[in-house]
């Protein structure tokens, strides 16, 4: 008993009960913050790999033209075929790492809670994530092995899947690149048609036969009228309050656009917008023309088909009959096709929900965007070469000793 007549046990229990719950809650929030931070770092690394894979193609084209222009310059001797070839190998390696390890790890790590019966914490979540990754790897390996057994009944072909590093991973990445090519072929035409609308939203259109002051005055009156109606209504009485608020928000957005058009200079309205639209029209026309010519060449001439990776190598032949100007045009078209494919990807109805929004994007959606961009970037070199925009051979000239080496299962593998 205490001096005030109460028991010490009751006071102590009552005072101690809220503290553990608050501590556990704070610990859980700190743990979730660490998990989100790790997942965000992995997504950032994946985006960097995607950007590197996209930029390697223009870098290879520029390097080829520089080596042709200055073949004996001492200061560019470091720029050679071995360097470019090594960069492409690193891009392929990191793309495999991000696609098959880091992004699945980020997703499972974000969704994990730890196995039942174990102490909750980061270690339990990491253990569950690693187990899920192992099960996923076994599932994918089993599916590929079964598919190979059903399609190709050759025992040596199935045994080659056991060669994880030399055959399985490159084969799996080739399948992903094929899926990315199909996705690019679906998204790029949609993106080419949507680029004009997107640029029209970003740029200020010329004010032809329009009175911006009069439109601003009308919008201001509409905004004032809606605000008065909202001020005289009660949310508990009238159910049209939400509709009025949405209408007021749309009026404010339209007013912001009008203010931007009014503040824009005459050069921006009358010169930038037409120039950008003409440039888009020229790039689209050239892209369609090159694709059509290459398709006709593939249909008529069998020698125009891609014949693997053997060729003159970097620094031995120009990629275009117009030299450096033609190579620069190809680089511009490659970037234009990549931007168009991204715009078309987000314009598709199935992927419309993937569009990230400021301060309103979940980590799961961020991971999905990173994986989608990585798949598109991995397929860009394949599609560029297929469509005739890139004929640079990055492989080194094969030696007789390593042209074809027999494997353990009897298959010959070109190194």
């Amino acid at each position: 008993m205490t001096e005030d007549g109460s028991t010490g046990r009751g006071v102590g229990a009552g005072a101690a009960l809220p503290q553990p719950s608050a501590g556990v809650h704070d610990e859980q929030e700190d743990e979730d913050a660490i998990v989100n931070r790790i997942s965000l770092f992995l997504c950032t690394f994946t985006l960097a790999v995607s950007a590197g894979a996209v930029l390697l193609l223009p870098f290879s084209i520029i390097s080829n033209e520089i080596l042709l222009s200055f073949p004996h310059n001492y200061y560019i001797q470091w720029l050679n075929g071995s360097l470019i070839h090594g960069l492409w190998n690193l891009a392929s390696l990191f793309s495999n790492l991000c696609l098959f390890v880091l992004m699945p790890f980020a997703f499972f790590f974000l969704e994990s809670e730890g196995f039942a019966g174990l102490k909750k914490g980061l270690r339990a979540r990491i253990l569950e994530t690693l187990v899920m990754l192992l099960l996923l790897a076994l599932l994918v390996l089993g599916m590929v092995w079964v598919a190979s057994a059903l399609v190709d009944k050759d025992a040596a072909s199935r045994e080659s899947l056991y060669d994880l590093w030399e055959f399985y991973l490159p084969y799996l990445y080739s399948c992903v690149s094929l899926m990315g090519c199909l996705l690019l072929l679906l998204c790029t035409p949609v993106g080419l048609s949507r680029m004009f609308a997107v640029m029209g939203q970003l740029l200020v259109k010329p004010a032809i036969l329009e009175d911006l002051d009069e439109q601003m005055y009308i919008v201001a009156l509409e905004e004032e009228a809606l605000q008065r109606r909202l001020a005289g209504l009660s949310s508990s009485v009238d159910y049209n309050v939400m509709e009025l608020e949405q209408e007021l928000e749309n009026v404010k957005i339209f007013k912001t656009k009008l203010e931007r058009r009014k503040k824009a200079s005459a050069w921006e309205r009358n010169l930038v917008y037409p120039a950008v639209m003409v440039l888009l029209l020229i790039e689209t026309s050239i892209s369609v023309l090159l694709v059509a010519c290459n398709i006709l060449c593939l249909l008529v001439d069998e020698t125009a088909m891609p014949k693997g990776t053997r060729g003159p190598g970097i620094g031995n032949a120009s990629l275009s009959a117009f030299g450096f100007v033609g190579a620069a045009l190809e680089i511009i078209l490659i970037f234009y096709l990549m931007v168009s494919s991204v715009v078309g990807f987000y314009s598709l109805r199935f992927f419309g929900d993937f569009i990230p929004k400021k301060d309103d994007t979940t980590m799961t959606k961020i991971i999905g965007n990173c994986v989608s961009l990585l798949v598109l970037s991995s397929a860009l070199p394949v599609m560029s070469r297929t469509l005739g925009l890139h004929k640079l051979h990055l492989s080194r000239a094969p030696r007789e000793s390593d042209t074809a080496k027999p494997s353990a299962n009897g298959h010959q593998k070109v190194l």
Side-chain angles (χ1 to χ4, degrees):
M1 297 287 292
T2 58
E3 294 180 357
D4 57 356
S6 62
T7 59
R9 181 181 300 176
V11 175
L17 280 176
Q19 294 179 358
S21 61
V24 171
H25 182 69
D26 294 339
E27 183 179 354
Q28 182 68 27
E29 287 185 352
D30 295 339
E31 181 181 323
D32 293 338
I34 294 174
V35 171
N36 289 329
R37 192 177 299 115
I38 294 175
S39 300
L40 185 61
F41 173 78
L42 295 178
C43 292
T44 305
F45 181 77
T46 303
L47 284 179
V49 172
S50 303
V54 172
L55 293 176
L56 262 182
L57 190 56
F59 179 74
S60 303
I61 297 175
I62 294 176
S63 301
N64 182 72
E65 298 301 324
I66 291 177
L67 290 176
L68 283 175
S69 302
F70 309 98
H72 304 294
N73 195 323
Y74 173 78
Y75 296 100
I76 59 172
Q77 292 301 315
W78 57 272
L79 191 62
N80 49 38
S82 299
L83 174 64
I84 305 299
H85 187 73
L87 290 177
W88 278 103
N89 287 336
L90 288 177
S92 177
L93 174 63
F94 283 117
S95 297
N96 278 302
L97 180 66
C98 294
L99 192 60
F100 300 118
V101 179
L102 297 185
M103 287 294 95
F105 178 85
F107 177 76
F108 290 133
F109 191 43
L110 193 67
E111 300 294 333
S112 64
E113 296 180 357
F115 291 111
L118 296 179
K119 183 180 179 181
K120 302 297 182 181
L122 288 177
R123 292 184 179 180
R125 299 181 72 163
I126 291 175
L127 178 61
E128 181 184 353
T129 303
L130 294 178
V131 172
M132 293 298 297
L133 280 178
L134 179 60
L135 294 176
L136 179 63
L138 293 177
L139 177 63
V140 174
L141 180 61
M143 291 176 61
V144 173
W145 195 88
V146 171
S148 177
L150 293 176
V151 175
D152 192 356
K153 297 182 180 181
D154 188 8
S157 178
R158 292 194 298 270
E159 290 178 3
S160 62
L161 289 176
Y162 295 119
D163 195 348
L164 187 66
W165 184 260
E166 293 290 338
F167 184 83
Y168 178 75
L169 287 180
Y171 175 75
L172 188 61
Y173 186 67
S174 299
C175 294
V176 174
S177 296
L178 176 60
M179 295 174 57
C181 282
L182 297 177
L183 187 60
L184 277 177
L185 292 176
L186 178 64
C187 298
T188 305
V190 179
L192 290 175
S193 61
R194 284 281 301 165
M195 283 294 292
F196 295 92
V198 172
M199 295 306 297
Q201 295 175 359
L202 296 177
L203 298 177
V204 179
K205 298 180 180 180
I208 301 175
L209 300 178
E210 289 182 336
D211 191 353
L212 295 180
D213 294 331
E214 182 179 355
Q215 293 185 10
M216 287 284 297
Y217 179 72
I218 295 174
V219 169
L221 292 178
E222 291 181 359
E223 182 182 4
E224 185 178 356
L226 290 174
Q227 289 177 351
R228 289 180 179 178
R229 290 180 62 184
L230 284 174
L233 295 178
S234 175
S235 59
S236 60
V237 177
D238 201 323
Y239 295 98
N240 294 328
V241 175
M242 298 297 296
E243 297 180 0
L244 290 177
E245 290 180 351
Q246 182 64 35
E247 187 177 355
L248 179 60
E249 185 67 23
N250 295 333
V251 170
K252 289 182 178 180
I253 294 175
F254 184 64
K255 182 180 178 181
T256 303
K257 293 181 180 180
L258 288 178
E259 290 177 351
R260 184 191 172 197
R261 293 182 61 184
K262 187 176 180 179
K263 292 179 181 179
S265 62
W267 289 96
E268 185 178 358
R269 291 196 305 266
N270 302 324
L271 182 62
V272 175
Y273 182 84
V276 171
M277 289 300 168
V278 171
L279 183 61
L280 286 178
L281 181 60
I282 293 174
E283 290 180 349
T284 304
S285 303
I286 294 177
S287 301
V288 174
L289 182 62
L290 288 178
V291 171
C293 293
N294 190 67
I295 291 176
L296 291 177
C297 291
L298 293 177
L299 292 176
V300 176
D301 189 6
E302 294 183 356
T303 60
M305 294 291 292
K307 300 293 183 181
T309 58
R310 295 186 182 182
I314 187 171
N316 295 326
S318 180
L319 301 178
S320 175
F322 300 99
F324 193 83
V325 177
L329 179 61
E330 287 191 356
I331 292 175
I332 294 175
L333 291 178
I334 288 172
F335 279 120
Y336 180 62
L337 287 178
M338 186 60 192
V339 174
S340 300
S341 63
V342 174
V343 173
F345 174 78
Y346 288 114
S347 299
L348 295 177
R349 184 176 301 178
F350 183 76
F351 301 105
D353 296 335
F354 270 47
I355 301 178
K357 299 178 181 179
K358 184 179 180 181
D359 300 330
D360 190 21
T361 306
T362 61
M363 279 302 304
T364 305
K365 188 178 293 185
I366 293 176
I367 293 174
N369 279 275
C370 293
V371 172
S372 302
L373 293 177
L374 182 62
V375 172
L376 291 175
S377 65
S378 65
L380 180 64
V382 180
M383 192 190 74
S384 300
R385 186 177 181 184
T386 304
L387 298 181
L389 295 175
H390 178 55
K391 300 181 177 62
L392 181 63
H393 300 279
L394 298 173
S395 64
R396 294 167 293 181
R399 301 190 301 266
E400 294 182 358
S401 59
D402 59 2
T403 301
K405 292 185 178 181
S407 61
N409 53 27
H411 282 258
Q412 287 186 347
K413 298 176 181 179
V414 179
L415 299 182

